[in-house]
């Protein structure tokens, strides 16, 4: 049984990936912004929910990514893979606490930062991060 971290796993492509991974008998750790959506995702897994967990987190800031990595690694001693399916679309001009546009911070930076932060054990496994 493998343990997979899915950033953006409480909706869309990430949620469907979580269902497929659980159907194959593995464990999932979901990351998402909305606690409500995370709880709904877990409830929708039925009996497989015992192999799933959710952490509400904000991956739009460097501190948020570091906090997510710390929380994941505090509760899971091993991850086999990371699937990064987060994404946002913002039209207006806004900035994260780090001064970055949210589209860039979430869709690009968190995709490159969170896997390396969360997957200290994944480097030992074959494949790509």
């Amino acid at each position: 049984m493998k343990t997979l971290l899915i950033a953006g796993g409480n909706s869309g492509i990430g949620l469907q990936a979580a269902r497929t991974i659980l159907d194959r008998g593995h464990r999932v750790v979901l990351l998402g912004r909305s606690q409500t959506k995370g709880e709904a995702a877990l409830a929708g897994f039925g009996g497989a929910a015992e192999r799933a967990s959710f952490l509400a987190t904000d991956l739009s800031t460097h501190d948020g990514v570091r906090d997510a990595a710390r929380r994941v690694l505090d509760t899971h001693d091993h991850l086999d893979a990371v699937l990064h399916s987060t994404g946002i679309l913002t039209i207006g001009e806004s900035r994260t606490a780090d001064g970055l546009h949210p589209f860039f911070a979430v869709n690009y930076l968190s995709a490159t930062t969170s896997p390396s932060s969360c997957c200290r054990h994944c480097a030992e496994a074959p494949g790509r991060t």
Side-chain angles (χ1 to χ4, degrees):
M1 182 180 323
K2 297 189 182 289
T3 302
L4 290 86
L5 174 69
I6 304 176
N10 60 342
S11 65
I13 293 168
L15 179 57
Q16 185 56 46
R19 288 183 186 120
T20 300
I21 291 163
L22 288 167
D23 286 347
R24 294 182 180 175
H26 301 292
R27 290 183 293 265
V28 295
V29 180
L30 308 180
L31 299 181
R33 289 177 292 170
S34 169
Q35 184 70 37
T36 303
K37 285 184 180 180
E39 290 170 2
L42 294 177
F45 295 150
E50 65 188 24
R51 290 182 278 110
S53 61
F54 175 79
L55 296 173
T57 188
D58 179 5
L59 297 179
S60 71
T61 67
H62 295 298
D63 286 343
V65 170
R66 282 190 290 271
D67 179 61
R70 180 191 54 76
R71 290 168 54 209
V72 167
L73 295 173
D74 282 351
T75 56
H76 298 84
D77 62 353
H78 179 80
L79 294 173
D80 294 290
V82 173
L83 171 62
H84 197 281
S85 66
T86 61
I88 62 168
L89 176 61
T90 54
I91 304 300
E93 185 59 35
S94 61
R95 298 289 172 198
T96 68
D98 295 330
L100 303 170
H101 192 280
F103 183 87
F104 177 71
V106 172
N107 298 350
Y108 177 72
L109 285 182
S110 72
T112 59
T113 306
S114 60
S116 61
S117 298
C118 293
C119 217
R120 66 178 180 217
H121 299 294
C122 290
E124 301 166 5
R128 296 176 26 202
T129 57

